[in-house]
Amino acid sequence: MLKNSTRLHIPEPGHRPGETPDLSHIKVPPAGEVRRPAEDTDPAEIRDLAWALIRVLDDAGNPVGDWNPGLPAALLEKGLRAMMLTRAYDARMVRVQRQGKTSFYMKSTGEEAVAVAAALALEYGDMCFPTYRQQGLLVARDWPLVDMMNQVYSNSRDRLKGRQMPVFYSSREAGFFSISGNLATQYSQAVGWAMASASESDSRIAAAWIGEGATAEGDFHHALTFASVYQAPVVLNIVNNQWAISSFSGIAGGERTTFASRGLGYGIPSLRVDGNDFLAVYAVTRWAANRARSGLGPTVIELFTYRAEGHSTSDDPSKYRPGAEAAAWPLGDPIERLKTHMIGAGLWDEERHAALEKELEDEVRAAGKESESYGTLKEGARIPASTMFDDVYKEMPPHLVEQRRQAGV
Amino acid sequence: MATMNMIEALNSAMDVALTRDPAVTIFGQDVGYFGGVFRATDGLQRKHGLTRVFDAPISEGGIVAVAVGMGAYGKRPVVEIQFADYIYPATDQLISEAARMRYRTGGEWWSPITVRSPYGGGIYGGQTHSQSPEGIFTHVAGLKTVIPSNPYDAKGLLIAAIEDDDPVLFFEPKRLYNGPFDGHHDRPVEPWSKHAASEVPEGHYVVPLGKANIVRAGSAVTVLAYGTMVHVALAAASETGIDAEVIDLRTLMPLDLETITQSVSRTGRCVVVHEATRTCGFGAELAALVQEHCFFDLEAPIERVTGWDTPYPHAFEWDYFPGPKRVGDALRRAMEA
C-alpha cells in the first residue's frame, strides 16, 4: 500500500562549487556500438536510438562502427581548421570585451563540433536557424571574420547597423538566419521555412538549433508539432550542453529521460549523438539531411556535449558549478579528439597543428585589426544615429520622420 | 460590381491575392476544407489547392512562427487567428520576431505576413469572443494595424495588407460581418445589401493603408472611430442632430494624422470612440496627438467613449458596449463645454 505523502521535487545538480565533480552517472557507451539504420527505415524500428549515444571515435581516436562517415582528408582538415578558428575567434572576442571595446560576448568553447560538423554535412543552400552559440556555422561556411567582428563591435561596417547586441549575427547570403534574443522562436520559424521549401518542391532543407534549456519553451512544442504534421524537411538539433546559464539540465526536464526522446512523442525519428565527436555529428547530420531531402520528413538530434565556459561574458560559472567539471567531462574536447584521430590516421602531426594554431591566431589578429579600423563600440567610426529610424518599416511613416527630426540626428 | 457582405468581400480579397501571386499562402484553424468558422475562406482550398490553403493545428504561436519562417523563405503568408481574444499565445512571435525582423537584420530579412483576426463585441461573446486588443499592437514598432468598417474597404484594405511587405494585423469587426450595426441591439439589423459600401468590384483594387476616410462631413465636432464604432458614431450624430464630422481611421498604424488634425482644427472639438477598454487604449494616443497638434484650436476637452476598464461581460453586453446613447452624450458634452 502506498503511503499518502506528497512532496515537491526540486531537481539539483550532483555537485556545487567547492565540491569534486563526479560524472560517473553519465553513461558513455563504447564507440561504434550503435547501429546505423538505413535513412528510409520505419521510424518505429529505431526508437531505441533516442536513448543511445552514437559515437564514432574511440578513446584512441580510431573511427569505428557503422556511423563512420569515412571522410576524405581535406574535409577533416577543413573541419579541424574551422573548429580551431572558431575557438581562436572566441578567445579574441572575449579579450576585446574585457578591454571595453564591446559590451558583450558569448563563447562556444567545447561545442565547436556541433556547429562546424553540421555545417559541413549540410549543403550550402540549406538554411540554418541557429541560436547564439553556433558561430561555428558561419566560420565553417567561410564567412569573413571581419564581418562577424564588425557586428560584435557595432562599428561603421556592421551589416546590422548597430541595432543588435554582439553575436546576434545575420547573413542571408551564408544561409545563417537572423539571431533573436528570444529563445526558441527560431525553432518553429525553421519549420515554416522548410514547409515553404517543400511546397515549392525545392531541394533545400532547413536546420534548426536549440539549447536543452530552451526546449522548455512553447516554441519547441510548436516546432515539433508542425514539423510532424506537415512532414517538413527540417533537421531539429537540440544542443544539450548540460547548463542553461546557472540551471542544470534537470531543471529543463532532463532527469527522467533524454531530450532526443521528446521527438518520439511527435512521431519524429530521434537520434542521440556524442556532440564532441566531429565524425559522429557529421554522420547523423548527413543522415537526417538525406531523410529530409528525400521527402522522408524531419529528424530530431540531441547533441550531448558540455558548455565548457561561462554562459556569457556577463556570467561567472564558479558561482553555481564546480570549477573542475569541464575537465572531468567524459566526452573530452572536440578539437582534441579530431586532432588525435587525424594524427592516428597519419593525416596530421603536432608540428602542423602548432603551425595551424599560430596561423589562425594571426588570421584572427589581422581580422581584428581591420575590423577595429572601422570602429569599436566606444571609439572610431560608427553608423550615423539617424539610421536608427530606418528599417522599422519598409518605408518610413510620418511619425518616424518627425521623431528623427526631434532627435536632431 | 457585385453586392457583397463583409465576409464575401474578405473572401474575394483572398481569392484575388491567391490568383495574382503564387507566393500567397493561407492557413489557420479550420480555414482549409471547412472554409473557416465565419466562412471567410470558403471555397478557397477547393479552387487553389491544398498547399495554398490549409488547416493548421490549434497553436497560435506555431501558426505565426511558421508564417514568419515562410516569409523568410519568400512566401507571402496570410494566416487566421480564429478570434482576436486568442492572439496572445502568438504575441512573442508577433512582437519579438515579425515586428523586428526588418530592423534587426538591417533590411536583410522581413516578414511580409498578414494576420487576420475577427475582433470586437456586440455579439454576446463574453470574455473571450469580444475583445479589442488593437492597442497592444499599435504600441509595437514595426507592426501595422488595420480595421475595416464595411465590405468595400474590407476587400481593398485586405489586398493592400497582403501586398504590403511589412507585418499587418488585420482585425475584422465580426459584428459587421453580415451587416452594419449602429448599437441599436433592440432593432432588426439590415443586411449589407441595403448599404452603398456593399458594392464591391470583383477584381483587384486596393484601399491604401494609412489613409483615413471622412464618412460624414460636419463642422461642429470631429469623431474619431474605427470598426463597428463608425456606425455607432453615425447613428449618434443623426440622433443628436449635432453636425459631427465622423472619421473612419481604417488604419491605426501608420495613422493618418493629417486628416485628423485638419478636421479637429476646423471643428475645435473632438470625441474619440472605441470598444476597447479605456486605460492605455488607442484612444489615449489619439487624444494625446490631437492635444499636441490642435491645442490652440480646441474649444472643449477631448472626450473618450470606450469600453469600461473591465473584462468584457456576457450578461451586461449593452451596459458595456459603447452604444449611440453614450456616444451622443459625449457629443453633447463636447458641444456644451
Side-chain angles (χ1 to χ4, degrees):
Chain A
M1 175 112 177
L2 287 172
K3 221 168 64 175
N4 182 9
S5 66
T6 63
R7 67 182 179 96
L8 181 65
H9 173 67
I10 311 291
E12 271 292 302
H15 301 88
R16 288 298 193 182
E19 296 173 352
T20 305
D22 173 8
L23 302 180
S24 59
H25 62 284
I26 295 174
K27 292 188 203 83
V28 180
E33 184 188 72
V34 181
R35 73 189 186 285
R36 182 188 185 283
E39 284 144 4
D40 59 357
T41 298
D42 179 351
E45 304 293 318
I46 56 168
R47 294 172 60 85
D48 56 312
L49 296 194
W51 287 274
L53 194 66
I54 295 166
R55 307 181 70 223
V56 172
L57 291 172
D58 67 16
D59 291 346
N62 298 312
V64 290
D66 297 350
W67 285 95
N68 178 9
L71 299 181
L75 210 148
L76 293 174
E77 205 172 313
K78 185 168 167 55
L80 183 69
R81 187 180 204 285
M83 290 201 289
M84 291 169 68
L85 184 55
T86 303
R87 189 166 290 185
Y89 170 72
D90 278 353
R92 180 173 176 101
M93 290 296 96
V94 165
R95 273 203 305 280
V96 299
Q97 191 275 338
R98 298 303 186 212
Q99 291 164 3
K101 292 177 178 174
T102 187
S103 61
F104 181 77
Y105 193 73
M106 304 178 97
K107 289 174 130 180
S108 62
T109 311
E111 301 173 45
E112 291 90 349
V114 164
V116 170
L120 299 180
L122 294 166
E123 299 295 326
Y124 196 84
D126 295 338
M127 185 60 74
C128 298
F129 288 75
T131 74
Y132 44 65
R133 221 182 293 281
Q134 279 83 48
Q135 49 264 56
L137 290 170
L138 280 169
V139 175
R141 287 186 161 184
D142 298 321
W143 193 249
L145 284 189
V146 174
D147 194 77
M148 295 169 69
M149 289 169 167
N150 292 343
Q151 197 282 325
V152 172
Y153 285 130
S154 285
N155 67 17
S156 60
R157 298 263 179 115
D158 174 12
R159 57 183 29 244
L160 307 185
K161 305 178 188 176
R163 294 173 189 159
Q164 280 270 50
M165 273 176 75
V167 313
F168 291 3
Y169 311 105
S170 175
S171 171
R172 192 175 187 128
E173 209 181 319
F176 186 97
F177 190 71
S178 157
I179 290 174
S180 164
N182 293 67
L183 293 182
T185 50
Q186 83 288 349
Y187 214 55
S188 40
Q189 291 165 3
V191 175
W193 195 97
M195 287 169 63
S197 179
S199 78
E200 294 288 310
S201 300
D202 187 338
S203 64
R204 290 178 298 163
I205 64 168
W209 284 261
I210 195 170
E212 92 285 351
T215 62
E217 293 280 5
D219 281 295
F220 177 73
H221 165 65
H222 304 157
L224 269 61
T225 300
F226 281 71
S228 171
V229 167
Y230 301 105
Q231 288 294 289
V234 61
V235 180
L236 295 164
N237 296 294
I238 303 166
V239 184
N240 177 6
N241 67 12
Q242 318 301 321
W243 291 95
I245 309 186
S246 74
S247 62
F248 87 119
S249 61
I251 290 291
E255 272 188 336
R256 310 287 152 194
T257 185
T258 65
F259 290 94
S261 73
R262 282 153 172 56
L264 298 180
Y266 297 84
I268 301 177
S270 304
L271 309 176
R272 193 158 172 273
V273 62
D274 176 349
N276 291 11
D277 180 339
F278 180 90
L279 295 179
V281 175
Y282 183 98
V284 298
T285 306
R286 179 50 73 90
W287 188 88
N290 286 346
R291 287 189 77 256
R293 230 181 293 282
S294 314
L296 294 166
T299 304
V300 166
I301 299 172
E302 175 184 347
L303 300 122
F304 197 65
T305 182
Y306 187 82
R307 194 193 76 210
E309 302 224 13
H311 166 71
S312 73
T313 51
S314 306
D315 178 45
D316 176 3
S318 72
K319 295 281 193 277
Y320 50 81
R321 70 183 189 189
E325 197 177 82
W329 179 244
L331 298 176
D333 178 86
I335 293 175
E336 287 303 314
R337 286 175 64 191
L338 183 58
K339 174 190 165 195
T340 304
H341 163 62
M342 289 169 68
I343 290 175
L347 303 167
W348 200 243
D349 54 52
E350 292 289 355
E351 290 69 36
R352 287 171 75 183
H353 194 83
L356 179 59
E357 211 156 42
K358 173 79 174 60
E359 179 196 323
L360 296 176
E361 254 173 52
D362 292 346
E363 187 179 329
V364 170
R365 190 177 308 113
K369 279 183 81 174
E370 184 185 341
S371 179
E372 289 186 28
S373 77
Y374 308 136
T376 64
L377 182 62
K378 304 284 169 62
E379 285 183 343
R382 57 185 295 204
I383 289 170
S386 59
T387 62
M388 76 177 159
F389 296 95
D390 296 341
D391 301 322
V392 180
Y393 299 92
K394 188 175 184 183
E395 277 156 38
M396 194 180 296
H399 71 286
L400 286 181
V401 175
E402 170 60 15
Q403 287 173 28
R404 186 177 58 187
R405 190 193 62 76
Q406 288 173 10
V409 288
Chain B
M1 283 287 184
T3 303
M4 299 186 195
N5 63 26
M6 193 183 281
I7 287 287
E8 291 161 339
L10 294 165
N11 184 282
S12 175
M14 286 184 272
D15 186 26
V16 166
L18 283 161
T19 304
R20 282 169 63 95
D21 183 353
V24 171
T25 307
I26 295 179
F27 56 101
Q29 292 159 30
D30 302 298
V31 310
Y33 182 87
F34 180 58
V37 295
F38 291 106
R39 318 310 303 149
T41 53
D42 189 27
L44 297 179
Q45 184 182 76
R46 202 160 52 246
K47 182 172 175 185
H48 298 279
L50 266 176
T51 60
R52 303 284 310 279
V53 183
F54 54 88
D55 289 318
I58 303 174
S59 173
E60 292 81 7
I63 288 168
V64 175
V66 160
V68 171
M70 283 186 167
Y73 179 90
K75 294 281 189 183
R76 198 169 279 279
V78 182
V79 300
E80 178 179 306
I81 300 297
Q82 204 158 73
F83 287 86
D85 314 60
Y86 304 134
I87 203 166
Y88 309 120
T91 45
D92 191 30
Q93 287 287 343
L94 285 168
I95 296 174
S96 310
E97 300 293 315
R100 286 151 211 265
M101 194 62 71
R102 185 186 297 278
Y103 192 74
R104 79 176 195 222
T105 65
E108 191 169 56
W109 264 293
W110 56 93
S111 289
I113 69 173
T114 303
V115 179
R116 291 181 41 245
S117 194
Y119 99 115
I123 59 151
Y124 284 104
Q127 295 189 27
T128 56
H129 300 82
S130 307
Q131 294 171 34
S132 300
E134 66 274 12
I136 293 171
F137 299 102
T138 52
H139 186 60
V140 178
L143 295 179
K144 293 182 176 177
T145 303
V146 177
I147 300 179
S149 70
N150 62 67
Y152 180 88
D153 283 355
K155 178 171 175 180
L157 287 168
L158 182 55
I159 292 175
I162 293 170
E163 292 176 351
D164 198 283
D165 285 335
D166 293 315
V168 181
L169 284 163
F170 194 88
F171 289 119
E172 302 164 1
K174 55 189 169 298
R175 176 72 234 205
L176 301 183
Y177 272 162
N178 294 309
F181 177 69
D182 62 10
H184 285 295
H185 53 94
D186 46 348
R187 300 177 193 168
V189 175
E190 289 199 329
W192 275 114
S193 56
K194 298 197 175 172
H195 193 284
S198 69
E199 287 295 301
V200 176
E202 289 179 63
H204 176 271
Y205 70 95
V206 295
V207 172
L209 305 188
K211 294 279 176 235
N213 185 28
I214 300 174
V215 291
R216 184 191 188 283
S219 58
V221 53
T222 299
V223 182
L224 305 179
Y226 48 89
T228 307
M229 301 315 292
V230 170
H231 303 277
V232 175
L234 289 171
S238 137
E239 288 157 22
T240 55
I242 294 171
D243 186 24
E245 178 144 297
V246 179
I247 299 179
D248 177 358
L249 300 178
R250 299 197 290 200
T251 304
L252 308 193
M253 178 59 71
L255 185 68
D256 185 355
L257 187 60
E258 203 178 325
T259 298
I260 293 169
T261 54
Q262 277 179 2
S263 175
V264 177
S265 292
R266 193 159 36 75
T267 62
R269 299 166 202 275
C270 182
V271 175
V272 176
V273 190
H274 60 58
E275 287 181 65
T277 48
R278 176 169 308 183
T279 302
C280 299
F282 191 64
E285 180 64 26
L286 290 171
L289 285 168
V290 168
Q291 186 274 141
E292 283 165 17
H293 291 269
C294 308
F295 182 78
F296 295 106
D297 296 315
L298 281 173
E299 293 171 41
I302 300 160
E303 289 277 345
R304 277 189 286 167
V305 187
T306 69
W308 307 121
D309 282 343
T310 71
Y312 205 112
H314 181 246
F316 313 113
E317 177 84 60
W318 307 115
D319 299 297
Y320 181 92
F321 185 90
K325 171 157 188 322
R326 276 176 58 200
V327 177
D329 289 348
L331 291 176
R332 276 190 283 266
R333 281 197 303 274
M335 294 312 296
E336 285 159 9

